[in-house]
Amino acid sequence: MSENKEFAELHAEGKVYKLPIIRGSEDEKAIDIGKLRDESGFITLDSGYKNTGATKSAITFLDGEEGILRYRGYPIEQLAEHSTFLEVAFLLIYGYLPKKEELSKFTDEIRTHTMVNEDMRKIFDGFPVNAHPMGVLSALVTSLSAFYPKAVGMDIKDREYLDLTIIRIIAKLPTIATWSYKNSQGHPLNYPKNSLDYCSNFLHMMFSLPVENYEVNPVVAKALDKLLILHADHEQNCSASTVRLVGSSHAGLYSSIAAGIDALWGPLHGGANQEVIEMLQEIHAEGGNVKSFVEKAKDKNSGFRLMGFGHRVYKNFDPRAKIIKKAADDVLKSLNVKDPLLDIAMELEHAALNDQYFVDRKLYPNVDFYSGIIYKALGIPINMFTVMFALGRLPGWIAQWLEMRQNGEPIGRPRQVYVGEKVRDYVPVEKR
Ligand code: MLT
């Protein structure tokens, strides 16, 4: 990023304000308004921050027009093809691809920290069986601050403890996630096995039952690893921005991550993959007539909305969706999965990619459309889909939090334009 001497001029109220222009390493351009209010009394207003940069970041670059996504400069296509989720986690958090011995150390430390404190079972037991796994996940992640109180106000320069704090949550999130699912099913909780890799361990803890031997399918484990890579970071999305904002008050890593989990839970963000399957279920329940639902989607008064299509940032296609689509095809073929919902999904995909109405509006299948399909084919329960998104996004959240803290960024405190009542005097209740 070059701090050059380019300026934008703001002409307002008969005055001219010179605002520095900065350009990123990929030629993104921004107008630095850091001194605008002090110099002019003006603030800017940008609901949803769609035109506002919150930070300078070196973690992820995406180009919505060109459909580019890179983690620390490495194209997502190459990472999805050649890397592993834990290697990508290391890359995002520490900024470089680890040497073999570094990756082995990182992987082994995660493998040996997968257990959670037995007292956590008492917290699980307190949840009703129908509690949504995302709510359980958020609560249990926050509770990590109680089991590791030193992490709350930790000195991020204490590298050894910082690394341990990071290892602990990457290692324990799958255990907490699967326990929230098992708890909701009334099943006995499974303990992690140090002999298994990250995704195989997750599948074991999810699906093993005392009454039968569960063998992890390597095709499923590999597909899962790829899905986690594809979800690992996405620059300043809603949940990452939440993690940075909460962390900017110097709240601990675990409570900042829990806030990110809560933001991701929303149906407009990470909950979209669960909404996709619920949409497919609705179409199936009403006879599976995709054409009639496609027409409904074009009718704003129908109340029906296509979930999993289009993207607020990618204007032409979501690069992750192209990769997941191939993985979904491979997994469905390999597992010989027969599911009417998946047939409906493929018919809907075909309609969206060939109907001018959707093409004109860039309503192409996005990452949530295909991830919902593949999770279902992998046997992941629908109410766990957003939990899968959280598992994938965890390293990105950690990287964003760490970058914000290491750059010494100030506490986030946006301004507002007040549009409420002007000053007025209090009226006692008997006189109202
Ligand atoms: C994400 O991956 O976080 C979603 O695509 C949403 C976004 O980037 O805004």
Side-chain angles (χ1 to χ4, degrees):
M1 177 201 66
S2 57
E3 297 278 358
N4 59 14
K5 293 293 173 235
E6 284 181 282
F7 293 90
E9 288 189 350
L10 174 68
H11 294 242
E13 296 176 340
K15 293 184 181 169
V16 179
Y17 302 96
K18 291 182 72 169
L19 303 170
I21 289 174
I22 60 171
R23 294 180 188 278
S25 50
E26 288 290 343
D27 293 327
E28 289 172 303
K29 51 193 179 185
I31 297 171
D32 184 341
I33 57 168
K35 297 189 171 63
L36 179 64
R37 188 171 184 275
D38 290 346
E39 292 175 358
S40 71
F42 280 96
I43 63 168
T44 55
L45 189 61
D46 180 21
S47 179
Y49 311 113
K50 292 186 287 296
N51 304 282
T52 300
T55 188
K56 299 170 191 170
S57 178
I59 299 168
T60 291
F61 171 70
L62 66 82
D63 182 319
E65 281 64 35
E66 299 303 320
I68 293 171
L69 176 60
R70 300 186 197 128
Y71 297 159
R72 299 286 186 180
Y74 295 97
I76 190 67
E77 294 80 3
Q78 293 182 26
L79 294 171
E81 184 65 27
H82 303 298
S83 188
T84 63
F85 176 61
L86 290 186
E87 183 178 70
V88 165
F90 187 104
L91 170 66
L92 286 167
I93 294 166
Y94 297 107
Y96 65 95
L97 285 173
K99 290 182 175 41
K100 194 171 182 176
E101 58 277 8
E102 289 178 297
L103 181 58
S104 300
K105 181 171 180 288
F106 186 66
T107 304
D108 290 345
E109 285 180 343
I110 287 169
R111 197 190 296 262
T112 55
H113 281 82
T114 48
M115 285 284 288
V116 297
N117 188 305
E118 278 296 298
D119 282 347
M120 271 202 179
R121 295 180 69 120
K122 297 170 188 159
I123 306 174
F124 274 104
D125 295 343
F127 281 100
V129 287
N130 60 352
H132 193 291
M134 282 295 276
V136 177
L137 195 70
S138 169
L140 270 293
V141 165
T142 298
S143 79
L144 286 174
S145 308
F147 291 99
Y148 305 105
K150 186 181 170 190
V152 177
M154 79 174 151
D155 174 0
I156 59 166
K157 294 186 182 63
D158 176 350
R159 181 62 190 266
E160 189 179 348
Y161 193 77
L162 172 66
D163 290 348
L164 176 58
T165 301
I166 290 169
I167 290 285
R168 278 174 169 155
I169 190 164
I170 294 177
K172 298 177 192 308
L173 199 64
T175 308
I176 293 170
T178 61
W179 281 19
S180 67
Y181 168 65
K182 300 300 263 187
N183 195 51
S184 72
Q185 299 300 302
H187 289 175
L189 306 182
N190 287 317
Y191 285 85
K193 285 182 179 173
N194 288 354
S195 58
L196 296 175
D197 65 58
Y198 197 76
C199 288
S200 299
N201 217 350
F202 173 80
L203 293 166
H204 146 67
M205 291 188 283
M206 276 289 286
F207 299 118
S208 290
L209 287 169
V211 293
E212 60 190 37
N213 183 39
Y214 172 77
E215 284 293 321
V216 174
N217 181 329
V219 172
V220 172
K222 185 162 173 48
L224 197 48
D225 195 86
K226 183 174 285 194
L227 278 165
L228 297 183
I229 289 174
L230 293 169
H231 285 82
D233 191 57
H234 212 237
E235 53 128 288
Q236 303 308 312
N237 60 86
C238 176
S239 54
S241 299
T242 301
V243 169
R244 286 183 86 116
L245 187 60
V246 170
S248 72
S249 72
H250 286 200
L253 176 62
Y254 297 151
S255 41
S256 303
I257 297 295
I261 292 170
D262 289 331
L264 188 73
W265 193 358
L268 296 183
H269 189 9
N273 53 21
Q274 181 172 337
E275 301 264 322
V276 166
I277 296 298
E278 286 165 0
M279 169 190 71
L280 297 174
Q281 286 174 328
E282 180 188 352
I283 295 172
H284 183 244
E286 297 196 22
N289 184 337
V290 170
K291 283 191 174 51
S292 76
F293 276 89
V294 166
E295 291 314 308
K296 273 186 188 175
K298 298 175 186 175
D299 172 6
K300 289 187 176 24
N301 301 317
S302 72
F304 173 73
R305 183 172 163 232
L306 272 186
M307 295 306 292
F309 288 83
H311 194 280
R312 64 184 66 79
V313 175
Y314 292 114
K315 296 309 170 210
N316 296 300
F317 65 92
D318 182 337
R320 301 166 297 178
K322 292 175 84 171
I323 299 167
I324 287 192
K325 172 175 171 40
K326 168 104 180 39
D329 293 343
D330 295 347
V331 166
L332 294 180
K333 280 194 196 79
S334 160
L335 301 179
N336 193 25
V337 173
K338 296 283 179 244
D339 181 333
L341 294 192
L342 303 180
D343 297 336
I344 290 172
M346 293 302 104
E347 202 180 330
L348 204 48
E349 175 203 44
H350 181 267
L353 292 175
N354 295 283
D355 185 311
Q356 207 53 46
Y357 177 88
F358 299 107
V359 172
D360 292 347
R361 289 162 179 78
K362 312 285 186 196
L363 291 176
Y364 50 80
N366 62 26
V367 68
D368 301 313
F369 180 79
Y370 293 112
S371 58
I373 290 170
I374 201 168
Y375 286 142
K376 189 164 190 334
L378 299 182
I380 305 287
I382 293 173
N383 70 353
M384 283 289 287
F385 282 12
T386 311
V387 170
M388 301 310 294
F389 197 147
L391 283 180
R393 189 50 53 87
L394 177 63
W397 286 333
I398 295 169
Q400 298 283 350
W401 183 91
L402 192 54
E403 181 180 72
M404 175 274 303
R405 287 296 305 274
Q406 286 175 334
N407 289 348
E409 293 189 13
I411 184 169
R413 205 277 184 218
R415 292 285 181 160
Q416 64 166 25
V417 173
Y418 177 71
V419 293
E421 295 286 346
K422 296 176 79 67
V423 65
R424 52 184 173 168
D425 293 327
Y426 178 79
V427 177
V429 65
E430 56 276 2
K431 293 187 174 174
R432 288 173 203 160

